Amino acid sequence: MTPIRVVLVDDQALFRAGIRMVVASQPDLEVVGEASDGAQAIEVVRATRPDVVMMDIRMPVMDGLAATEALLADSDPPRVVMLTTFDLDEAAARAIQRGASGFLLKDADPEFLLAAIRTVHAGSSVIAAAATRDLFASLGGPTRPVPPAFDALTEREREIFGLAARGLSNAEIAAREFLSEATVKTHVSRILAKLSLRDRVQLVVFAFEHGLA
């Protein structure tokens, strides 16, 4: 099995070393590069073509927000997970709005960090869906008009959209709606396709941006 390729970006060398040790201990994960600021991160990522980038938000030279925006504009960009010290971080919210796959607190348990890398690489991007909801709920702010694409959702899809927007997992939605997890997964996939959203984190963002949460 080809290991998941990871790049670590943080201005603290000791913190990077700690994450590298955790990641390198796993047979299915491989650290292929490191960077200490956003500008260096862009160079390293474009040279190594990783699957997942763990990106600190606050760094010198170029912050993680600007670096993430630049990388996600590339063709076939990596998945980017923001690293933050603050639970309700407005910069993390902006990064997610611009395409990051979620965020992790820097003091997260090693097991959670490893699970996040695998989940993001698998394309699910379920990490911190509930935390993302809390983040956007704390920020508030104006909402945009609901786009016509939302009208294309069936009544059942709207129900599941609302539950997913609250941060519920497929298993939780299945139990609540008396459906199988496979059925919920199919509904969520259709919702994402109809709304042109990449993952569940983006669904949460969409709900808050349009006053549907």
Side-chain angles (χ1 to χ4, degrees), residues 82-103:
M82 310 307 295
L83 298 169
T84 178
T85 311
F86 308 105
D87 207 349
L88 300 176
D89 193 329
E90 188 172 353
R94 291 201 303 273
I96 291 167
Q97 285 176 313
R98 297 176 193 187
S101 294
F103 71 95

Side-chain angles (χ1 to χ4, degrees), residues 33-111:
E34 295 184 26
S36 58
D37 62 64
Q40 189 179 60
I42 293 173
E43 294 180 8
V44 171
V45 169
R46 287 174 177 168
T48 59
R49 309 300 300 170
D51 301 303
V52 178
V53 178
M54 308 300 288
M55 178 81 75
D56 188 22
I57 291 180
R58 291 165 179 81
M59 295 179 291
V61 184
M62 176 188 285
D63 65 22
L65 187 62
T68 296
E69 192 166 13
L71 289 172
L72 293 179
D74 289 348
S75 61
D76 192 25
R79 296 276 178 163
V80 180
V81 177
M82 310 307 295
L83 298 169
T84 178
T85 311
F86 308 105
D87 207 349
L88 300 176
D89 193 329
E90 188 172 353
R94 291 201 303 273
I96 291 167
Q97 285 176 313
R98 297 176 193 187
S101 294
F103 71 95
L104 286 175
L105 295 180
K106 285 192 169 185
D107 62 357
D109 290 338
E111 294 79 10

Side-chain angles (χ1 to χ4, degrees), residues 34-212:
E34 295 184 26
S36 58
D37 62 64
Q40 189 179 60
I42 293 173
E43 294 180 8
V44 171
V45 169
R46 287 174 177 168
T48 59
R49 309 300 300 170
D51 301 303
V52 178
V53 178
M54 308 300 288
M55 178 81 75
D56 188 22
I57 291 180
R58 291 165 179 81
M59 295 179 291
V61 184
M62 176 188 285
D63 65 22
L65 187 62
T68 296
E69 192 166 13
L71 289 172
L72 293 179
D74 289 348
S75 61
D76 192 25
R79 296 276 178 163
V80 180
V81 177
M82 310 307 295
L83 298 169
T84 178
T85 311
F86 308 105
D87 207 349
L88 300 176
D89 193 329
E90 188 172 353
R94 291 201 303 273
I96 291 167
Q97 285 176 313
R98 297 176 193 187
S101 294
F103 71 95
L104 286 175
L105 295 180
K106 285 192 169 185
D107 62 357
D109 290 338
E111 294 79 10
F112 190 74
L113 182 143
L114 295 171
I117 293 173
R118 295 182 178 111
T119 302
V120 166
H121 177 254
S124 303
S125 296
V126 213
I127 51 164
T132 301
R133 183 190 182 285
D134 293 342
L135 174 62
F136 279 86
S138 73
L139 296 176
T143 58
R144 305 177 189 173
V146 178
F150 190 74
D151 295 333
L153 299 186
T154 65
E155 184 176 348
R156 171 63 90 182
E157 286 169 348
R158 290 190 189 203
E159 289 176 9
I160 291 175
F161 172 93
L163 295 172
R166 287 166 51 189
L168 274 66
S169 67
N170 286 352
E172 290 168 332
I173 295 173
R176 187 183 180 112
E177 296 295 301
F178 303 103
L179 299 169
S180 70
E181 282 192 55
T183 299
V184 173
K185 185 176 181 180
T186 298
H187 280 305
V188 171
S189 295
R190 287 175 182 164
I191 291 166
L192 295 177
K194 287 182 179 180
L195 299 179
S196 300
L197 302 173
R198 191 187 64 238
D199 53 46
R200 291 175 65 114
V201 169
Q202 294 296 308
L203 184 151
V204 173
V205 175
F206 179 95
F208 274 93
E209 286 183 335
H210 298 97
L212 297 168

